[in-house]
């Protein structure tokens, strides 16, 4: 039998900004391009028409970076693609080459797997993700700029040369110019009193890896360099959700690197004690320090 004894100790909520440092292109799904239109428009909110970063794109990129990192740590015979290998699931989209991703097939494996535990797995039995990545919308400053008529996307003309015929195929790619900022929110749910630290550290490490990689398309051509700026972090315990406790602000560093470097000072003993105390009391508030008077 699978151990489905799910628990809930609280949530750690990260908020801040994603700053675009080089043109960002996250494409919207459009199959047919209009004549003279943009071949590759960026994804926009259907109501406001403002560009945004879909949570699924951000989460997908973070997941793929952690998958590669974990694959690297595996023994040689388990690395790579194939049914018995780390990248074990083939995804075929349209006429493109198949993409191999990693998915744990059962709940027990997923619980032991740093990737599936954090980002979830849709294997034979579902393991729900412990991390939630919200859509990232423009900050008020940039929304205001848009409302006063400033263009928040630019059209880049690119010329791809066919390597065999040398025929040029000019195309227009829409992108978000450098400087634009989006608000992000990433929420981690603490379901296990022991492995939350490793999960949070993995989450922060993938954010750091993303800063040295790229978000969206055309990354090898310079697009998609982004930077995370933390503005707020808080812990909401199980008791908080039942009106018996206040949320606890966590003093986080502004950038991801300093946050990782000072991980144990930031996600300190105090937090560990609270989580342990919830665990010992089976979620009740006996002996659990109650801040609300
Ligand atoms: Zn897995």
């Amino acid at each position: 039998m699978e151990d489905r004894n799910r628990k809930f100790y609280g949530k750690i909520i990260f908020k801040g900004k994603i700053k675009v440092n080089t043109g960002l292109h996250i494409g919207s799904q459009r199959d047919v391009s209009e004549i003279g239109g943009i071949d590759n428009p960026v994804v926009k909110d259907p109501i406001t028409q403002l560009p945004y970063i879909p949570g699924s794109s951000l989460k997908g990129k973070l997941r793929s970076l952690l998958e590669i990192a974990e694959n690297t740590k595996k023994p040689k015979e388990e690395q790579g693609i194939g049914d018995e290998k780390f990248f074990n699931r083939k995804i075929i989209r349209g006429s493109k080459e198949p993409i191999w991703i990693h998915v744990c097939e059962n709940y027990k494996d997923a619980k032991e797997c740093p990737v599936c535990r954090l980002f979830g797995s849709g294997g034979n039995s579902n393991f729900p993700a412990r991390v939630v990545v919200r859509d990232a919308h423009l900050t008020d400053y940039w929304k205001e700029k848009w409302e006063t008529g400033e263009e928040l996307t630019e059209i880049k003309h690119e010329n791809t040369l066919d390597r065999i015929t040398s025929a040029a195929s000019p195309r227009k790619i829409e992108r978000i110019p450098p400087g634009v900022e989006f608000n992000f929110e990433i929420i981690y749910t603490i379901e296990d009193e022991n492995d939350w630290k490793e999960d949070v550290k993995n989450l922060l490490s993938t954010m750091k890896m993303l800063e040295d990689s790229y978000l969206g398309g055309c990354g090898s051509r310079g697009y998609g360099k982004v930077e995370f700026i933390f503005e707020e972090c808080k812990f909401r315990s199980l008791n908080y959700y039942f009106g018996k406790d206040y949320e606890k602000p966590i003093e986080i560093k502004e950038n991801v690197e300093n946050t990782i470097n000072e991980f144990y000072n930031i996600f300190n003993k105090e937090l560990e004690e609270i989580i342990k105390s919830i665990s010992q009391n089976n979620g009740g508030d006996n002996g659990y320090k109650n801040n609300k008077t």
Side-chain angles (χ1 to χ4, degrees), residues 102-104 110 113 115-116:
H102 164 79
V103 177
C104 280
C113 168
V115 177
C116 297

Side-chain angles (χ1 to χ4, degrees), residues 231-281:
E231 291 178 327
E232 198 184 310
C233 181
K234 54 201 178 191
F235 169 67
R236 292 177 163 178
S237 69
L238 170 63
N239 273 344
Y240 164 85
Y241 291 95
F242 291 90
K244 292 178 189 164
D245 196 9
Y246 291 113
E247 64 184 22
K248 175 182 160 46
I250 296 172
E251 288 206 22
I252 198 164
K253 301 289 164 191
E254 195 184 72
N255 67 43
V256 183
E257 189 169 3
N258 290 342
T259 304
I260 296 169
N261 290 344
E262 292 195 32
F263 187 85
Y264 290 104
N265 294 329
I266 294 167
F267 302 94
N268 52 22
K269 270 221 117 34
E270 201 183 334
L271 207 56
E272 199 173 276
E273 292 300 323
I274 296 171
I275 292 158
K276 209 162 264 165
S277 130
I278 300 171
S279 161
Q280 279 157 5
N281 294 300

Side-chain angles (χ1 to χ4, degrees), residues 79-126:
Q79 291 181 6
I81 58 173
D83 289 339
E84 300 299 315
K85 305 281 188 179
F86 185 76
F87 294 103
N88 58 348
R89 173 89 48 102
K90 197 200 281 187
I91 292 179
I92 300 162
R93 281 197 202 106
S95 57
K96 285 186 180 167
E97 286 273 293
I99 306 167
W100 287 81
I101 60 163
H102 164 79
V103 177
C104 280
E105 292 297 349
N106 65 63
Y107 193 92
K108 194 173 158 286
D109 288 348
K111 200 179 177 302
E112 300 299 317
C113 168
V115 177
C116 297
R117 206 164 62 206
L118 203 50
F119 297 106
S121 86
N124 291 332
S125 56
N126 260 351

Side-chain angles (χ1 to χ4, degrees), residues 70-82 84-87:
E70 286 306 314
N71 175 57
T72 312
K73 294 180 197 166
K74 291 280 172 201
K76 275 246 159 5
E77 60 275 15
E78 288 173 37
Q79 291 181 6
I81 58 173
E84 300 299 315
K85 305 281 188 179
F86 185 76
F87 294 103

Side-chain angles (χ1 to χ4, degrees), residues 143-286:
K143 215 158 81 189
E144 226 163 81
K145 279 193 170 243
W146 179 80
E147 279 160 0
T148 54
E150 187 162 320
E151 287 286 335
L152 290 187
T153 58
E154 61 185 20
I155 309 297
K156 177 125 191 306
H157 295 263
E158 293 216 343
N159 221 343
T160 343
L161 283 185
D162 187 306
R163 296 291 179 271
I164 296 161
T165 65
S166 291
S169 64
R171 53 182 187 156
K172 296 176 202 164
I173 297 173
E174 187 181 28
R175 59 183 206 172
I176 297 157
V180 175
E181 291 174 324
F182 297 86
N183 288 319
F184 76 84
E185 185 178 19
I186 296 178
I187 300 159
Y188 175 75
T189 304
I190 301 170
E191 293 199 18
D192 187 286
E193 63 168 300
N194 298 313
D195 50 32
W196 67 274
K197 277 190 186 174
E198 194 194 327
D199 283 350
V200 173
K201 210 167 186 191
N202 283 337
L203 173 65
L204 293 167
S205 297
T206 56
M207 289 168 82
K208 180 68 196 146
M209 281 191 269
L210 174 53
E211 289 184 335
D212 289 340
S213 178
Y214 60 88
L215 187 60
C218 313
S220 65
R221 296 205 299 278
Y223 288 38
K225 180 175 160 66
V226 295
E227 181 187 340
F228 291 98
I229 300 159
F230 285 122
E231 291 178 327
E232 198 184 310
C233 181
K234 54 201 178 191
F235 169 67
R236 292 177 163 178
S237 69
L238 170 63
N239 273 344
Y240 164 85
Y241 291 95
F242 291 90
K244 292 178 189 164
D245 196 9
Y246 291 113
E247 64 184 22
K248 175 182 160 46
I250 296 172
E251 288 206 22
I252 198 164
K253 301 289 164 191
E254 195 184 72
N255 67 43
V256 183
E257 189 169 3
N258 290 342
T259 304
I260 296 169
N261 290 344
E262 292 195 32
F263 187 85
Y264 290 104
N265 294 329
I266 294 167
F267 302 94
N268 52 22
K269 270 221 117 34
E270 201 183 334
L271 207 56
E272 199 173 276
E273 292 300 323
I274 296 171
I275 292 158
K276 209 162 264 165
S277 130
I278 300 171
S279 161
Q280 279 157 5
N281 294 300
N282 287 320
D285 48 2
N286 286 341

